[in-house]
Amino acid sequence: MEAIKTKLRTGVLRKHILDEYNITTDTLVKYIGRREDHRVTPEELKEYAVRLRVQGKTLQQTAAILGVTVATVKRAWSKKKDSPEIKEKRVKYDNRNVLSKRDRDQAVNAVLCDGHTRKQIYTQYGINALTLRLYILEAQRKETELLREKDKDSGQNDDN
């Protein structure tokens, strides 16, 4: 036990100690204790982090608001993000400015065909990046389906 403590003080990594003595992390923490600088993140802080993520804040924004590390927010979010109540509450995308079919087609063509950047387009049309991305993915999906249909049709005509 003292040998492990001295190794920790000299800077040997915990994972090397775990491998050398063939013990688990829980066992090491049980007998040696946590590091002095280790802070346990309160549950209410984790819940607040999840609430901010549901509202659409990024990991970095949430970490900055709460004054914790991005890794802490990431751990709290990864535990909760797939739960049904979070899926209900999550804001998938902000669609306050729903585009007409014509505007949607113009925006998608401007990105895919004309070489405009996505940022230029979503700024011009007043939508957010995720909404534009969804429009582009939908257009690409439709295009691949049309190509598959044409390929099927041409394959059937060759057989006749």
Side-chain angles (χ1 to χ4, degrees), residues 124-138:
Q124 176 183 342
Y125 282 96
I127 57 177
N128 69 4
L130 186 55
T131 304
L132 179 61
R133 180 171 168 240
L134 292 174
Y135 290 160
I136 291 170
L137 289 174
E138 181 68 23

Side-chain angles (χ1 to χ4, degrees), residues 14 25-26 29-30 32-43 46 68-69 71-72 75 79:
R14 287 178 176 246
T25 309
D26 293 334
V29 169
K30 179 180 175 185
I32 303 300
R34 298 192 180 275
R35 286 175 270 149
E36 291 79 29
D37 61 345
H38 178 75
R39 288 185 305 145
V40 177
T41 310
E43 280 301 314
K46 291 178 185 177
V68 296
T69 63
T72 304
R75 278 192 300 273
K79 289 178 185 172

Side-chain angles (χ1 to χ4, degrees), residues 33-153:
R34 298 192 180 275
R35 286 175 270 149
E36 291 79 29
D37 61 345
H38 178 75
R39 288 185 305 145
V40 177
T41 310
E43 280 301 314
E44 58 268 2
L45 197 63
K46 291 178 185 177
E47 292 298 322
Y48 190 51
V50 170
R51 193 169 342 120
L52 287 171
R53 292 287 292 147
V54 167
Q55 292 171 359
K57 300 285 186 204
T58 64
L59 289 170
Q60 291 81 6
Q61 289 171 333
T62 305
I65 290 170
L66 298 176
V68 296
T69 63
V70 173
T72 304
V73 175
K74 204 172 191 178
R75 278 192 300 273
W77 178 242
S78 67
K79 289 178 185 172
K80 297 280 187 166
K81 70 179 177 184
D82 294 326
S83 66
E85 64 268 3
I86 296 299
K87 284 185 179 181
E88 278 179 27
K89 293 177 187 175
R90 188 180 307 163
V91 178
K92 297 242 187 226
Y93 52 90
D94 181 7
N95 226 358
R96 283 177 285 193
N97 300 332
V98 179
L99 297 182
S100 66
K101 175 139 178 53
R102 180 179 162 274
D103 286 344
R104 182 182 310 172
D105 291 342
Q106 281 183 337
V108 169
N109 287 334
V111 172
L112 295 178
C113 302
D114 300 340
H116 293 284
T117 64
R118 289 180 183 199
K119 185 171 184 176
Q120 289 171 329
I121 299 304
Y122 68 71
T123 304
Q124 176 183 342
Y125 282 96
I127 57 177
N128 69 4
L130 186 55
T131 304
L132 179 61
R133 180 171 168 240
L134 292 174
Y135 290 160
I136 291 170
L137 289 174
E138 181 68 23
Q140 288 173 333
R141 187 185 58 75
K142 285 180 183 177
E143 188 176 334
T144 54
E145 285 177 9
L146 284 173
L147 289 173
R148 285 186 186 135
E149 290 296 321
K150 285 181 183 177
D151 195 29
K152 277 185 190 177
D153 292 343

